[in-house]
Amino acid sequence: MRIPTLFPETQRLNMWIPEGATVVELVVDWDSPVKGDASLAGVEMEFETDGSGWLRQVEIPRQGVTVERHQTLGAGPAVRSGGADTIPSEEVLESPYSFSRDGFTLRGTITTPRNTSAAVPIGVIIAGSGSTDRNCNSGAALKTNTYAQIAWRLAERGIATLRYDKRGVGESTGVWDMAATTFDDFAADATAAVRELEADPRFTETVFIGHSEGAAVAVRAVNGGAPVDGVVSMAGMGRPFLNVLRGQLAEQLDDATMVQFDGAMQRYLRGEDPGEVAASLAPFFRTVNRRFTQTIVSYSPLSELADVQVPVLIVQGATDFQTSVTDSQLLSQAKPDARLVVISDANHVFKRSSDLSRGSQTRAYIDPTLPVVAEVVEAIAEWIGELP
């Protein structure tokens, strides 16, 4: 990345973060022609450039991260990170795990309690939308470690987990045709994971732990015959997909742009050219995503959850601006025997947040050192411990 050297001026840039559905400000202050400080949603960074403006090094002191530019890759890593919420504790044992389906090898991590020889329950963590990986990270725009932290905290409570990279993400391999991929493909992948674990003597009960879109994937997989003993829905949608998406956009875009969105989406779902749209809408109408969008639009959250025949736990953060407490209440009404837990100051990635403001929450989406709220782990662990 090359940035212009404007010493001694201050630069301000607006950055769109798709996963948080928000725009944040990047502020760059130059201390000299080759050094300066930057702030992105409360995350403070220090940077250094060469004389021509190319970045040489970026440090994030709070996270213990240093990124250095190298002309060629050497033996050592260019990024160093550490901390209680970026590495597992000594009570936790992690090992690589993979399973195959439909020509893909999906790679992940099995996390188990270190000091036990007895069989334990296991949760299969299903990631949310887009290129979110096994740890709830997706490049620089999403860096939370939420799934890893949940796995480590559950292992400390005697519960194992499998978290895996979806097809086309992270270390998973296979020839991926996104244009032909459907919502049901991801549900079938999750089913393949639990069928592999079924025969593993290390584990007793098996549950799905689905987050955001992954909660819908989990429910569809159960109704399709996945052999699990329960389902955890974390920040799952209770309204149809388009209602949730439109609600998120309407809070940030003007009425004219939303009218444009509605018309373009109707054409897009019919397989037609959506037409010219504002730059802020263009990512939602990529041709390669059409088939998946068409299939998830047909998913009915309430009727699907009502059909689930295993115990259900619904967990929702009250300061989540992507799904809402209303979504969790609708899900609870559709499945009256489900347990509903609303965490008063948790956001969509289950980090601590006191309000619904997107700007105030951005750091939670990009700082992996922030811990998950303890309540989400306690709720899951308690519920699993009570399974029949």
Side-chain angles (χ1 to χ4, degrees), residues 184-222:
D184 281 326
D185 287 323
F186 290 104
D189 291 344
T191 300
V194 296
R195 290 201 184 281
E196 289 263 342
L197 294 171
E198 229 184 346
D200 195 319
R202 293 177 295 171
F203 309 119
T204 54
E205 298 91 354
T206 303
V207 302
F208 279 137
I209 303 174
H211 174 242
S212 192
E213 182 185 286
V217 171
V219 170
R220 174 60 64 86
V222 170

Side-chain angles (χ1 to χ4, degrees), residues 73-357:
L73 292 178
V79 179
R80 300 185 296 275
S81 179
D85 297 300
T86 55
I87 56 175
S89 70
E90 293 183 357
E91 301 174 54
V92 171
L93 180 65
E94 297 210 298
S95 55
Y97 189 87
S98 64
F99 60 98
S100 299
R101 194 195 81 83
D102 196 24
F104 292 90
T105 298
L106 304 179
R107 304 186 188 280
T109 303
I110 288 273
T111 305
T112 57
R114 182 178 292 275
N115 298 316
T116 183
S117 57
V120 296
I122 185 167
V124 176
I125 298 175
I126 305 175
S129 61
S131 58
T132 306
D133 69 10
R134 73 185 78 175
N135 294 330
C136 198
N137 299 329
S138 179
L142 186 69
K143 196 76 172 175
T144 69
N145 270 4
T146 289
Y147 306 152
Q149 291 177 22
I150 289 174
W152 300 336
R153 303 294 87 85
L154 287 175
E156 292 164 1
R157 290 163 171 79
I159 298 169
T161 54
L162 165 65
R163 60 190 196 274
Y164 62 93
D165 294 333
K166 298 180 292 186
R167 55 173 65 195
V169 175
E171 297 178 3
S172 292
T173 58
V175 179
W176 188 37
D177 181 5
M178 180 59 197
T181 301
T182 69
F183 177 67
D184 281 326
D185 287 323
F186 290 104
D189 291 344
T191 300
V194 296
R195 290 201 184 281
E196 289 263 342
L197 294 171
E198 229 184 346
D200 195 319
R202 293 177 295 171
F203 309 119
T204 54
E205 298 91 354
T206 303
V207 302
F208 279 137
I209 303 174
H211 174 242
S212 192
E213 182 185 286
V217 171
V219 170
R220 174 60 64 86
V222 170
N223 286 338
V228 296
D229 300 289
V231 179
V232 179
S233 170
M234 296 175 55
M237 57 185 182
R239 295 162 292 156
F241 171 78
L242 276 187
N243 294 35
V244 174
L245 176 60
R246 195 186 189 286
Q248 293 174 5
L249 293 175
E251 291 181 4
Q252 302 176 79
L253 303 175
D254 59 39
D255 291 345
T257 305
M258 291 310 303
V259 169
Q260 189 180 78
F261 170 83
D262 291 337
M265 182 58 75
Q266 291 177 20
R267 293 187 291 274
Y268 180 71
L269 293 174
R270 291 196 299 263
E272 303 169 5
D273 185 341
E276 186 174 343
V277 296
S280 57
L281 298 179
F284 302 102
F285 300 109
R286 295 176 62 205
T287 302
V288 74
N289 293 331
R290 191 195 309 266
R291 182 65 181 137
F292 179 80
T293 304
Q294 289 170 328
T295 55
I296 195 171
V297 162
S298 68
Y299 176 80
S300 174
L302 304 186
S303 61
E304 291 259 1
L305 187 65
D307 288 341
V308 170
Q309 300 299 307
V310 296
V312 174
L313 169 66
I314 302 165
V315 189
Q316 177 67 42
T319 56
D320 182 342
F321 59 72
Q322 293 184 252
T323 55
S324 68
V325 173
T326 298
D327 287 286
S328 67
Q329 291 171 337
L330 289 169
L331 291 171
S332 180
Q333 292 166 11
K335 186 71 174 172
D337 59 347
R339 180 178 300 178
L340 172 61
V341 176
V342 177
I343 303 172
S344 61
D345 55 355
N347 67 7
H348 190 69
V349 291
F350 289 90
K351 303 297 178 80
R352 197 74 66 188
S353 177
S354 60
D355 62 65
L356 282 160
S357 163

